[in-house]
Amino acid sequence: MAYNFNEIEQKWQRIWKENKTYHVTEDDSKEKYYVLNMFPYPSGAGLHVGHPLGYIASDIFARFKRLNGYNVLNPMGYDAYGLPAEQYAIQTGQHPAITTEQNINRYREQLDKIGFCFDWDREIRTCDANYYHWTQWTFIQMFNSYYDNDKKCSRPISELIEKLSNEGSKNINAACTKEIDVTAEEWNSLSEVAKQELLMNWRIAFLNETMVNWCPELGTVLANDEVVDGVSERGGFPVIQKKMKQWCLRVSAYAQRLLDGLDRIDWTDSLKETQRNWIGRSEGAEMQFRIKDSDIEFTIFTTRADTIFGVTFMVLAPESELVARLTTTEQKNAVEEYLDRTKKRTERERMIDRNVTGVFTGSYAINPITGEEIPVWVSDYVLSGYGTGAIMAVPAHDSRDYAFAKHFGIEIRPLIEGCDVSEESFDAKEGIMTNSPVAKFADCKLNLNGLTVKDAIAKTKSYISENKLGRVKVNFRLRDAIFSRQRYWGEPFPIYYKDGVPYPIPEECLPLQLPEVEKFLPTETGEPPLGHAKMWAWDEQNKCIVSKDTVDNKSIFPLELNTMPGFAGSSAYYLRYMDPKNDKALVSTEADNYWQNVDLYVGGTEHATGHLIYSRFWNMFLHDIGVSVKEEPFQKLVNQGMIQGRSNFVYRIKDTNTFVSLNLSKNYDVTPLHVDVNIVSNDILDIDAFRAWRPEYANAEFILENDKYICGWAVEKMSKSMFNVVNPDTIVEKYGADTLRLYEMFLGPVEQSKPWDTNGIDGCHRFLRKLWGMFFDKNDNYILTDEEPTKEELKSLHKLIKKTTEDIPAFSYNTTVSAFMICLNELTALKCNKKSIFEQVVVTLSPFAPHICEELWEIMGHNTTICDAEWPLFNEEYLKEDTIKYTISFNGKARFNLEFAADATNAEIESTVLADENSQKYIDGKPIKKVIIVPKKIVNVVI
RNA sequence: GCGCGUGUGGCGAAAUUGGUAGACGCGCCAGACUUAGGAUCUGGUGUUUUGCGACGUGUAGGUUCGAGUCCUAUCACGCGCACCA
């Protein structure tokens, strides 16, 4: 009987679907295990072979855990809101909901063919109103919360309001946009509008006028992680800086917790490091500098408080409001001209052009320690968004300050003994302090001379806090997330505006459904696309959506026109899978308590500073308000590598229609041309298919080697234009899903990026065919017997069980596949036909190749699915050797082998080796210094 | 510039705490069965040497009885952050 994979795979996929084999429910009698893949954005191009890599890896893990008795949640869904569908809608008028639906159906069809054990009853789509109900709900909770720095968690804004009205802001230690000082009397006398405006300063979800990354081509703002090298991540359009009023999420309040949490989760070091980088914690000090002949004081941030004696100038960011106040009349023109010039430069231009620019304000600051007068400059190398937007410049020990000082001829004063600053600054935080202070300030109270840099920093910090010159401060690079998008295809904000002040719509009125619009473009007045929606106003009294035309009625107000960004829907979807149909809560307490958090999360590393930060923040917030039981959403994370394309080339002799095979091509003047990889097999071109591929090749001539046309190849990104896209469907059709699954795992470590290369796929397919063949004789008769297996057969089996049991949890799938091949080779050599052996082989193989294993399981007479089998335990007894071969080496060289009984003692081995004739030859009368016996491996005689 | 990671046959890759480097697969070579084979099966396959052997994990050192693995330096490639004070 031939291995008819197409028939077998369709049969079992149908049975799994009909019987809901992979449907899970909460079950207290079993331990839970939650496996999750980053859900895909359903693009129009469909899946290519790279996409399923992570899904297969986690599917294997899910099946393995299930066989080990766990109740496994392995859901799948779609990140359905996104720019491509909307761009397509703008071009074609096709509603994004329709395109998205079509793409999802295509994805589903492709996914189904690979045989995943997803529980499709739990499918979610971020664009479903039942789903975004809870995205909107969470947003309202964020709007109604503030971050208490003392309790280190989010609290209801009502608590803050109570404090403000009772004691004012003096005892409030909360994350805020800027420090606000208000007494209880002042607060209580404020109007409702003024109070609401002030509260924005503390809310977790808040409106703020900020500099944003504006992408004119896309007509929307983008988050920092959506901008790469100054252009948009999607589309590659230029991005400029623009000031706009936007919804923001106070992610920065959670910076320390996001950092600390990394120590408690099982992610790769490199990914944690990337996040630490992005969060960018730096410990330092804030210091106040007074301006000479003025009562103006300003604050700078530095991590090098020890270099205070080397400050020879100060720099303000061009955007700093201090610039105007510090500019003297003489310098006014020069400064304004400079500000004009920098404003015109985009972020990208500033990044490319790093020429030193700057202008003197005319003011002098006073060094708080020495009293020295220091000129204050303006330069765009200082960023307004980090620290205080002002720095003390120490050219001797900071390369940027150094470049500035050299350019403008400012003094460079070295502070480290023996450092040479004639060519470049000495940035390292090491060495012994000198010139701190220089002789002319020798009578000042602080003296750092002779201290190490580390001690000097500590001493300066305590000096400035004791003398109230500043304070110790921790700064983060992590910024608040900008949460508004001027787009149609996203979650609407559940917000309406009364007197220009935003209010959330009542929770019982959620979801606020995305309205229909005539056009997906901005309106003539520059409003976002939702400005076109007619039914888009809120009736406060009747609690319902009404037409915009009725806004002048006293209880009817305009609704927010922005929509939420892509990461809104993907930030808590793992919670929703636990209880996807719940219409009373995001997730029920029971489901949340049972499933807790994701045990294993699999996805690409490209989300390191986007989704994986946002969802950790989002989950921490939900944890604070009692919705999510765990603080960290993803306990273990595995990054699957990217699968690159492997392009093939043909070589056309210039000005002809003749193509020459790879190894002969160097003899001709040729042009390499991409050729569709689907008409190339093992780098051999299918000539007929090539002639049929394009009309201009119909009459192509070929110069062959060994009667074959060999193509060249290169590793490139998988894309349509390189003709190297391999569709999983074509592989499934040709080899079957089981072969595809096995081969993707066999290709190399899951975490590693690698080119897709079908050259080895036959090996995996051959393995499955061989396994199938073991069950039948030449006449297709089933030949397995119930006889007792031999010792060798059991040994081979248990080696396999041991290897798979240990390697699957370690994600070492490529070696696991090898282990199956080794085991099968051994069983073939032993001519094994024992049912009890193959039963267990098939169970261990079933996570990798579920369809064939189900079929063989059935053929062996089982009437339950193999998913309900039990993972076999290995027995060390079978693995024990009677005798062990030792390699005898002399000074680590010249070896031969001796066999000993497995239970021989070291003393026995030693005496036997020393008495051995062969050994005598090597020892040759030389004195023996020692004999080293490595258990089960080696005896090394040191002479 | 700073941080992280990776370098092993013709190719994808294995290698427990330092313990016979190259498992397994591809490819290649030879043989068997075949009218035929891009089918199947068997054997071989790091380099060098007729052979014994010698040499081999980017390069150069070091520690060790013994190093792909540990240490130092260096080169190459990949990734992340990047006027973050």
Side-chain angles (χ1 to χ4, degrees), chain A residues 25 69 121 143 213 411 470 683 703 732 753 779 872:
Chain A
T25 49
D121 285 353
F143 180 80
N213 304 305
E411 185 196 348
D683 290 338
I703 300 175
V732 168
S753 284
N779 304 319

Side-chain angles (χ1 to χ4, degrees), chain A residues 127-281:
Chain A
C127 64
D128 272 355
N130 290 334
Y131 179 85
Y132 67 68
H133 180 158
W134 300 104
T135 311
Q136 293 175 333
W137 178 85
T138 309
F139 177 80
I140 294 176
Q141 308 313 306
M142 289 180 178
F143 180 80
N144 287 329
S145 300
Y146 77 105
Y147 194 83
D148 186 325
N149 282 333
D150 293 328
K151 291 182 178 140
K152 295 188 174 23
C153 70
S154 287
R155 301 294 307 165
I157 195 93
S158 54
E159 286 184 5
L160 191 84
I161 295 171
E162 206 184 314
K163 263 195 182 172
L164 285 167
S165 55
N166 290 336
E167 44 190 310
S169 63
K170 66 174 186 290
N171 290 326
I172 291 172
N173 180 14
C176 56
T177 312
K178 61 180 179 189
E179 302 284 349
I180 284 176
D181 219 358
V182 62
T183 63
E185 295 75 50
E186 284 166 344
W187 168 261
N188 290 323
S189 64
L190 290 175
S191 69
E192 167 69 8
V193 170
K195 277 182 182 169
Q196 287 300 331
E197 271 169 13
L198 210 55
L199 285 176
M200 277 300 173
N201 192 48
W202 287 286
R203 293 183 192 274
I204 301 285
F206 61 104
L207 268 179
N208 190 24
E209 180 110 342
T210 44
M211 288 300 251
V212 296
N213 304 305
W214 173 257
C215 180
E217 235 85 5
L218 293 171
T220 188
V221 304
L222 297 169
N224 285 341
D225 68 283
E226 291 168 325
V227 182
V228 179
D229 293 334
V231 299
S232 65
E233 191 190 20
R234 283 193 192 265
F237 303 116
V239 172
I240 59 165
Q241 299 297 300
K242 190 174 170 183
K243 206 157 202 182
M244 283 178 82
K245 201 163 203 183
Q246 299 286 305
W247 283 105
C248 301
L249 302 184
R250 208 175 296 283
V251 180
S252 61
Y254 282 82
Q256 188 64 50
R257 277 170 70 186
L258 288 167
L259 192 63
D260 294 341
L262 292 173
D263 296 331
R264 296 191 296 270
I265 51 183
D266 187 11
W267 295 12
T268 62
D269 289 340
S270 79
L271 187 62
K272 287 187 190 179
E273 205 51 41
T274 302
Q275 289 215 341
R276 286 194 190 104
N277 248 322
W278 189 261
I279 296 167
R281 183 183 200 271

Side-chain angles (χ1 to χ4, degrees), chain A residues 191-420:
Chain A
S191 69
E192 167 69 8
V193 170
K195 277 182 182 169
Q196 287 300 331
E197 271 169 13
L198 210 55
L199 285 176
M200 277 300 173
N201 192 48
W202 287 286
R203 293 183 192 274
I204 301 285
F206 61 104
L207 268 179
N208 190 24
E209 180 110 342
T210 44
M211 288 300 251
V212 296
N213 304 305
W214 173 257
C215 180
E217 235 85 5
L218 293 171
T220 188
V221 304
L222 297 169
N224 285 341
D225 68 283
E226 291 168 325
V227 182
V228 179
D229 293 334
V231 299
S232 65
E233 191 190 20
R234 283 193 192 265
F237 303 116
V239 172
I240 59 165
Q241 299 297 300
K242 190 174 170 183
K243 206 157 202 182
M244 283 178 82
K245 201 163 203 183
Q246 299 286 305
W247 283 105
C248 301
L249 302 184
R250 208 175 296 283
V251 180
S252 61
Y254 282 82
Q256 188 64 50
R257 277 170 70 186
L258 288 167
L259 192 63
D260 294 341
L262 292 173
D263 296 331
R264 296 191 296 270
I265 51 183
D266 187 11
W267 295 12
T268 62
D269 289 340
S270 79
L271 187 62
K272 287 187 190 179
E273 205 51 41
T274 302
Q275 289 215 341
R276 286 194 190 104
N277 248 322
W278 189 261
I279 296 167
R281 183 183 200 271
S282 73
E283 267 179 54
E286 280 186 353
M287 258 187 261
Q288 266 90 46
F289 281 70
R290 201 168 46 76
I291 295 297
K292 185 191 167 198
D293 301 330
S294 150
D295 53 1
I296 299 174
E297 253 195 355
F298 70 101
T299 309
I300 58 95
F301 175 76
T302 180
T303 54
R304 292 295 302 273
D306 59 311
T307 58
I308 182 72
F309 294 105
V311 179
T312 51
F313 59 104
M314 313 285 292
V315 188
L316 304 176
E319 298 84 358
S320 170
E321 48 191 43
L322 284 162
V323 175
R325 296 168 64 199
L326 297 192
T327 304
T328 58
T329 29
E330 303 86 79
Q331 288 298 99
K332 199 166 180 223
N333 285 341
V335 169
E336 273 175 6
E337 192 195 319
Y338 180 72
L339 293 187
D340 264 6
R341 197 145 43 92
T342 51
K343 239 178 239 167
K344 281 185 196 133
R345 302 212 303 168
T346 63
E347 187 90 335
R348 189 164 169 75
E349 283 164 348
R350 265 164 81 160
M351 264 162 53
I352 294 165
D353 171 25
R354 295 213 178 161
N355 287 332
V356 176
T357 62
V359 64
F360 179 45
T361 59
S363 289
Y364 290 85
I366 307 293
N367 185 319
I369 311 255
T370 62
E372 193 177 5
E373 291 178 13
I374 313 160
V376 181
W377 290 67
V378 178
S379 173
D380 66 0
Y381 84 88
V382 172
L383 306 175
S384 62
Y386 184 76
T388 60
I391 62 153
M392 62 178 215
V394 185
H397 302 292
D398 182 289
S399 50
R400 295 151 304 176
D401 298 344
Y402 186 88
F404 194 87
K406 276 270 171 180
H407 188 260
F408 290 104
I410 303 171
E411 185 196 348
I412 297 166
R413 189 186 298 162
L415 303 174
I416 305 285
E417 276 179 21
C419 74
D420 175 15

